[in-house]
Amino acid sequence: SPLFSKEVDPVKGPSAMQQMYGEVVCLRAMVYLDLVRTWGDVVYRTASSKAGDNFYGETVTDRNVILSNLIKDLREVEPMMIYAANLSEGVERAGREYCQALIGQIALYRGGYSLMPGGEYGKMERQPDYLDYYEIAREYLGMVISEGRHSLDRESFAQMWINECNWTVLKDGDVIFEIPMLRESS
C-alpha cells in the first residue's frame, strides 16, 4: 500500500506528506530541465538504482519524452501541494505556485525550438504538437498570475535585499522559490 493517498482531503487540504512528495517531484523536474537545456537528450531514470546496475549501457532518452513526462508528473502533484504563504519556510520550500510556474516553464521549453541532431551543425526544429504545450503554459502560468499570490511591487528591491540580509522568509513577493541558505548550518 502507498505511504500516502494522492487524494486531497477537501476539508483539510493537502497533507504534509503530499506536500513533501510534490516538492521532490518539483526538484527532480527542475534538475532534469537544467540537464535537458544544457545537454539535450540525456539519460532519464524513472526507477531507483540498484546494486549491480550497469550504468555504462544506459542510452539517452529523447528530450521531448523527458519534458512531456515531467509535465505529466507535475500536473499530477500540483493539487497536492501547499502555497508558500501557508508553509512555515515560505518560498524556501517548493510551494504550489512554484509547481504551477515550473509546469509552464517546461511546457514553453517543450513547445519551443530545440537544436536537434542532423545536418552539419544540427538543425533547429520544434515538434508538431507545440500548440498543445503552449496551451498548458497558458493555463498554468495563468494560474500563477491570476491567483496573485506573488507580486513584483509588494516591496522595493532595497526592502527585499534588507529582508534577505535579515533572514526574513519571503512568502508573497517577487520570489516564488529559492534554495534556502541554511542559516544555522555549517
Side-chain angles (χ1 to χ4, degrees), residues 32 36 42 44 61-71:
Y32 262 110
V36 166
V42 295
Y44 180 58
T61 302
D62 181 288
R63 69 196 78 184
N64 295 307
V65 171
I66 296 170
L67 296 172
S68 296
N69 285 339
L70 296 176
I71 291 168

Side-chain angles (χ1 to χ4, degrees), residues 6-24:
K6 291 186 178 184
E7 295 298 319
V8 176
D9 184 308
V11 176
K12 295 179 184 176
S15 68
M17 183 65 80
Q18 289 172 323
Q19 169 63 26
M20 287 187 282
Y21 177 69
E23 287 179 67
V24 170

Side-chain angles (χ1 to χ4, degrees), residues 61-170:
T61 302
D62 181 288
R63 69 196 78 184
N64 295 307
V65 171
I66 296 170
L67 296 172
S68 296
N69 285 339
L70 296 176
I71 291 168
K72 180 184 77 57
D73 293 346
L74 289 167
R75 289 176 87 175
E76 182 180 297
V77 301
E78 184 262 338
M80 291 189 275
M81 297 187 72
I82 300 169
Y83 290 105
N86 299 326
L87 294 169
S88 60
E89 298 85 354
V91 298
E92 290 184 342
R93 288 181 64 188
R96 187 171 184 176
E97 60 269 57
Y98 176 66
C99 184
Q100 294 166 344
L102 188 57
I103 293 168
Q105 184 180 18
I106 294 172
L108 285 174
Y109 194 78
R110 168 63 174 79
Y113 284 89
S114 287
L115 183 62
M116 304 297 282
E120 188 175 348
Y121 300 107
K123 55 186 176 182
M124 293 298 289
E125 52 182 47
R126 68 177 169 191
Q127 300 302 303
D129 59 354
Y130 71 96
L131 288 176
D132 297 339
Y133 289 94
Y134 287 172
E135 190 55 43
I136 292 169
R138 180 194 319 251
E139 176 186 354
Y140 282 91
L141 295 174
M143 287 179 193
V144 174
I145 294 166
S146 67
E147 290 174 358
R149 294 178 179 277
H150 293 268
S151 176
L152 297 174
D153 62 358
R154 290 209 177 109
E155 61 192 357
S156 66
F157 180 78
Q159 187 59 50
M160 183 179 82
W161 181 248
I162 290 167
N163 289 344
E164 286 285 338
C165 292
N166 288 311
W167 300 99
T168 303
V169 176
L170 304 174

